[in-house]
């Protein structure tokens, strides 16, 4: 770890870093910043949450002269949310220097983006689809780009953006610096790097345990039918500040967030079928704390950096260990502690052990919280809220009536009644969730494909929609000319999410994760 003063940065950039509260550089920043400042190509590998944005953002901002009025830097990110997030951090880092940056993503009014582009941004942070759209309209030209960053490159390839990335990079001058950042380095990323980077320097920070040590991990063995009761007891017992609950499918997310609301929790759901507006709304409510439980599919929550998430709950286990790591990485951010709980049905215990093995972490088994523990947790929470008010001494208007009450009633009775009122009775509504099939333990033989098929005809149906979200719509987009493409593009994205979250038994998805797991295993 170094302090940022050791990189020889200009004072205005340092000032912004200080204001962001960064005291020491993270390991990936330590290694990347000096290399990036020399202009060399770079491949940076580090887990989510390790500060990769600043690792490329700081040198990028340092390099751009203030007088520059062309687009000289291009950052590509896989999703709209990440584009916004990266743009926010770049914006903060360039606050004093005055570097101009602009996020470009699908779902936002294109006219508004075109107007913003007229203000001559120097850095564009965009998702591949919308970038191509602007390039086709000639509202973005890449002729002057000197630096390209491929952020979360593994995600971009997972989402099928290889072709788009290739088209975009073919429009950027060869003479440039290219930096690629990724949490994982599967073979397709290595191929991408070989193709587009020149003599890159490799920088990687691979912790011994690929999960953060500050995250306490536990699992509870439950039957599918018990999961909702388990969830509500867990939420009561733990009273999380902010929790993300992961569900396997969009249907699951919808049903679960609705069920939680019915039971009186402030929860909402996030998945790819929501409109951009709805997604933004949910995220805003979660960030400002007006909801404290976010129910999400993997894709919807990937890479999101919301500070203060105290709990991640895997209502359904993810298919592959990498998703597990990504999911639990939503908590324990920025050196804070976090808890990750997983619900595991009896038939999924093998799969859990597989996740333990790959992540090289033990996940402790805990009993289902008892009703008494749940109640105790809620009361503790209520007591904390009461004591906060006591300490704030902001209750003068209530004193007179309290004194009157105390003259007539017992103080313990009064306080108990107040606590009951504050704690709130759990609403007694019956909840029915559509059951999900258990996840099967990995088999490392090629015959898994056939067993997967057999499985998809299981008792709960669910059908086999394999490939429904695969880039098929994409091909028709490609052939469809640019006029009608934009709508297709966005719906493709949504479709993608439904592909991921929507049907875990999709053979393509299983194929991917299987390959990746094998990388780990061997
Ligand atoms: P990654 O891209 O590796 O997933 P991010 O760049 O999103 O990680 O950073 C994760 C969080 O850590 C962000 O909130 C960021 O502001 C914060 N962060 C980055 N660098 C530092 C640092 N040197 N010190 C403290 N916090 C940092
Ligand atoms: Mg990142």
């Amino acid at each position: 770890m170094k302090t940022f003063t050791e990189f020889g940065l200009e004072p205005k950039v340092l000032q912004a870093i200080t204001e962001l509260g960064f005291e020491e550089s993270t390991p990936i920043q330590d290694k990347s910043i000096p290399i990036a400042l020399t202009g060399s190509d770079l491949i940076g590998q580090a887990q989510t949450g390790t500060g990769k944005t600043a690792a490329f953002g700081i040198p990028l901002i340092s390099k751009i002269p203030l007088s520059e009025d062309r687009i000289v830097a291009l950052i590509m990110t896989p999703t709209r949310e990440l584009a916004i997030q990266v743009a926010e951090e770049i914006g903060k880092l360039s606050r004093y220097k005055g570097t101009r940056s602009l996020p470009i993503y699908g779902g936002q009014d294109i006219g508004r983006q075109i107007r913003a582009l007229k203000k001559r941004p120097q850095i564009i942070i965009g998702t591949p689809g919308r970038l191509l759209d602007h390039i086709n309209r000639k509202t973005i030209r890449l002729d002057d780009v000197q630096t390209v960053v491929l952020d979360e490159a593994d995600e971009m390839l997972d989402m099928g953006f290889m072709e788009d990335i290739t088209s975009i990079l073919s429009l950027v001058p060869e003479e440039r610096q290219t930096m690629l950042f990724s949490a994982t380095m599967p073979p397709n990323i290595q191929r991408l790097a070989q193709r587009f980077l020149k003599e890159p320097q490799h920088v990687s920070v691979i912790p011994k345990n690929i999960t953060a040590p500050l995250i306490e991990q536990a699992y509870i063995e439950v039957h599918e039918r018990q999961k909702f009761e388990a969830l509500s007891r867990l939420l009561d017992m733990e009273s999380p500040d902010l929790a993300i609950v992961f569900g396997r499918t969009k249907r699951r997310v919808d049903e679960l967030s609705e069920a939680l609301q019915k039971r009186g929790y402030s929860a909402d759901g996030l998945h790819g079928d929501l409109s951009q507006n709805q997604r933004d709304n949910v995220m805003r409510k979660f960030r400002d704390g007006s909801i404290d439980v976010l129910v999400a599919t993997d894709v919807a929550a990937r890479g999101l950096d919301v500070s203060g998430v105290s709990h991640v709950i895997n209502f359904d286990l993810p298919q592959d260990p990498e998703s597990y790591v990504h999911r639990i990485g939503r908590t324990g951010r920025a050196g804070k502690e976090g808890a990750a709980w997983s619900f595991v049905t009896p038939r999924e215990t093998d799969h859990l052990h597989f996740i333990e093995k790959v992540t090289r972490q033990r996940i402790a088994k805990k009993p289902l919280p008892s009703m008494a523990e749940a109640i105790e947790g809620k009361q503790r929470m209520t007591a904390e809220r009461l004591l906060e008010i006591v300490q704030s001494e902001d209750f003068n208007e209530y004193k007179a009536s309290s004194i009157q009450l105390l003259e007539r009633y017992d103080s313990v009775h009064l306080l108990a009644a107040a606590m009951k009122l504050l704690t709130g009775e759990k609403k007694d509504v019956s909840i029915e969730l559509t059951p999900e099939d258990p996840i099967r333990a990995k088999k490392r033989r090629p015959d898994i494909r056939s067993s997967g098929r057999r499985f998809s005809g299981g008792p709960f149906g669910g059908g086999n929609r394999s490939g429904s979200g695969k880039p098929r719509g994409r091909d028709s987009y490609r052939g469809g000319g640019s006029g009608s493409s934009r709508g297709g593009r966005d719906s493709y994205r949504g479709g993608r999410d439904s592909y991921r979250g929507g049907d875990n038994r999709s053979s393509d998805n299983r194929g991917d994760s299987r390959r990746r797991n094998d990388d780990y295993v061997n």
Side-chain angles (χ1 to χ4, degrees):
M1 305 276 168
K2 291 180 181 170
T3 61
F4 283 95
T5 49
E6 289 168 58
F7 297 114
L9 303 167
E10 59 193 299
K12 283 180 175 167
V13 176
L14 270 180
Q15 193 183 348
I17 295 171
T18 308
E19 192 147 302
L20 270 168
F22 299 179
E23 284 163 4
E24 289 178 323
S25 52
T26 66
I28 190 75
Q29 292 164 359
D30 256 3
K31 294 184 176 178
S32 307
I33 293 175
I35 296 174
L37 284 171
T38 67
S40 160
D41 279 7
L42 175 71
I43 298 176
Q45 181 185 6
Q47 282 299 316
T48 310
T50 50
K52 294 191 287 295
T53 314
F56 61 74
I58 290 170
L60 198 59
I61 293 163
S62 305
K63 272 174 51 176
I64 301 174
L66 199 55
S67 57
E68 187 57 72
D69 66 352
R70 304 163 302 173
I71 297 170
V72 288
L74 174 67
I75 302 169
M76 278 187 257
T77 69
T79 63
R80 157 202 170 87
E81 279 80 9
L82 284 172
I84 294 172
Q85 207 168 286
V86 169
E88 274 174 9
E89 185 134 329
I90 297 280
K92 285 178 190 163
L93 284 168
S94 44
R95 175 183 301 162
Y96 294 105
K97 179 159 178 182
T99 314
R100 296 181 302 277
S101 54
L102 180 70
I104 289 289
Y105 47 82
Q108 192 187 42
D109 174 31
I110 199 151
R112 184 170 148 192
Q113 291 176 352
I114 291 170
R115 282 193 298 281
L117 281 162
K118 296 209 166 105
K119 291 187 188 152
R120 304 224 149 248
Q122 298 149 328
I123 306 176
I124 296 288
I125 302 114
T127 51
R130 184 53 74 94
L131 277 172
L132 273 179
D133 210 340
H134 278 282
I135 291 167
N136 290 335
R137 289 166 179 257
K138 304 204 171 7
T139 43
I140 288 183
R141 279 183 37 200
L142 301 178
D143 304 354
D144 302 308
V145 169
Q146 296 158 7
T147 311
V148 172
V149 178
L150 302 170
D151 189 25
E152 315 267 353
D154 52 354
E155 276 298 296
M156 283 202 280
L157 294 196
D158 275 0
M159 294 180 70
F161 282 133
M162 183 67 186
E163 244 184 278
D164 289 355
I165 294 172
T166 307
S167 325
I168 292 169
L169 288 181
S170 70
L171 299 170
V172 179
E174 289 247 331
E175 193 62 30
R176 62 164 192 257
Q177 179 183 30
T178 311
M179 296 189 264
L180 182 156
F181 285 84
S182 192
T184 60
M185 284 292 152
N188 61 355
I189 292 288
Q190 289 165 27
R191 278 195 298 276
L192 178 78
Q194 248 162 30
R195 193 159 159 200
F196 294 111
L197 275 67
K198 287 190 192 130
E199 294 166 31
Q201 303 220 33
H202 289 252
V203 160
S204 70
V205 181
I206 305 172
K208 272 193 214 74
N209 296 316
I210 61 174
T211 46
L214 290 169
I215 303 172
E216 199 181 312
Q217 300 172 61
Y219 78 94
I220 301 174
E221 197 175 296
V222 284
H223 288 281
E224 174 69 22
R225 293 268 174 216
Q226 294 175 302
K227 279 184 175 179
F228 187 74
E229 184 57 32
L231 177 64
S232 71
R233 285 191 198 176
L234 188 61
L235 289 172
D236 291 348
M237 179 175 83
E238 294 276 298
S239 44
D241 293 339
L242 290 178
I244 301 182
V245 177
F246 282 97
R248 197 175 293 156
T249 61
K250 288 175 301 170
R251 178 184 63 199
R252 186 67 127 188
V253 165
D254 281 337
E255 290 185 0
L256 203 46
S257 51
E258 198 177 314
L260 284 166
Q261 287 163 5
K262 276 189 191 155
R263 282 283 181 92
Y265 298 95
S266 59
D268 216 333
L270 194 70
H271 59 63
D273 267 9
L274 302 179
S275 72
Q276 303 289 11
N277 235 341
Q278 289 170 312
R279 290 171 69 126
D280 285 348
N281 262 333
V282 174
M283 281 314 296
R284 188 182 40 68
K285 284 193 286 183
F286 192 55
R287 283 211 163 86
D288 72 19
S290 45
I291 55 169
D292 45 33
V293 182
L294 178 71
V295 188
T297 55
D298 281 306
V299 169
R302 260 204 180 181
L304 285 183
D305 178 35
V306 178
S307 56
V309 174
S310 56
H311 290 69
V312 165
I313 300 169
N314 292 314
F315 193 84
D316 302 310
L317 269 187
Q319 176 71 50
D320 63 298
E322 262 192 11
S323 304
Y324 177 85
V325 172
H326 274 289
R327 284 181 180 190
I328 73 168
R330 301 305 100 217
T331 181
R333 312 281 282 181
K336 290 208 189 93
E337 284 175 24
W341 292 80
S342 298
F343 293 162
V344 179
T345 61
R347 286 162 68 187
E348 290 174 327
T349 45
D350 282 349
H351 188 64
L352 181 89
H353 296 316
F354 173 69
I355 292 176
E356 280 186 301
K357 197 171 144 205
V358 172
T359 60
R360 286 184 247 146
Q361 291 259 322
R362 238 185 73 70
I363 306 174
K365 183 172 181 176
K366 298 257 172 91
L368 179 72
S370 66
M371 200 66 111
E373 283 171 311
I375 292 169
E376 194 191 305
K378 282 198 98 170
Q379 295 194 357
R380 194 180 52 236
M381 185 66 188
T382 305
E384 272 170 27
R385 282 167 61 201
L386 272 177
L387 289 176
E388 257 171 45
I389 299 176
V390 170
Q391 262 150 26
S392 74
E393 293 183 22
D394 186 17
F395 44 74
N396 271 334
E397 315 85 291
Y398 296 89
K399 272 187 175 166
S401 56
S402 299
I403 290 168
Q404 278 178 12
L405 282 166
L406 278 165
E407 279 165 4
R408 294 169 53 205
Y409 299 97
D410 175 63
S411 58
V412 173
H413 287 188
L414 276 175
L415 186 56
M419 282 191 56
K420 178 175 176 186
L421 197 65
L422 268 170
T423 303
E425 301 281 273
K426 187 166 288 170
K427 288 184 196 136
D428 195 16
V429 281
S430 71
I431 301 293
E432 276 284 333
L433 299 180
T434 314
E436 291 284 329
D437 293 343
I439 290 218
R440 281 287 172 97
K442 293 282 171 186
K443 288 182 191 159
R444 260 154 267 142
R445 272 174 287 122
D447 63 357
I448 188 168
R449 216 166 255 278
S450 52
S451 73
R453 264 198 211 114
R454 183 160 43 85
F455 182 49
S456 67
F460 299 119
N464 188 353
R465 278 179 280 137
S466 340
S468 61
K470 257 282 164 195
R472 213 174 274 154
R474 214 53 171 180
D475 295 341
S476 57
Y477 157 60
R478 291 252 156 244
S482 68
S484 60
S485 68
R486 285 175 299 280
R489 192 44 183 235
D490 287 341
S491 54
Y492 156 65
R493 285 250 186 75
R496 176 68 199 193
D497 200 4
S498 61
Y499 152 60
R500 279 286 196 87
D503 186 349
N504 228 333
R505 291 177 299 279
S506 137
S507 57
D508 293 322
N509 193 15
R510 288 172 73 98
D512 280 339
S513 49
R514 200 163 48 246
R515 228 173 295 125
R516 237 191 278 163
N517 293 333
D518 287 350
D519 289 343
Y520 276 115
V521 172
N522 296 328

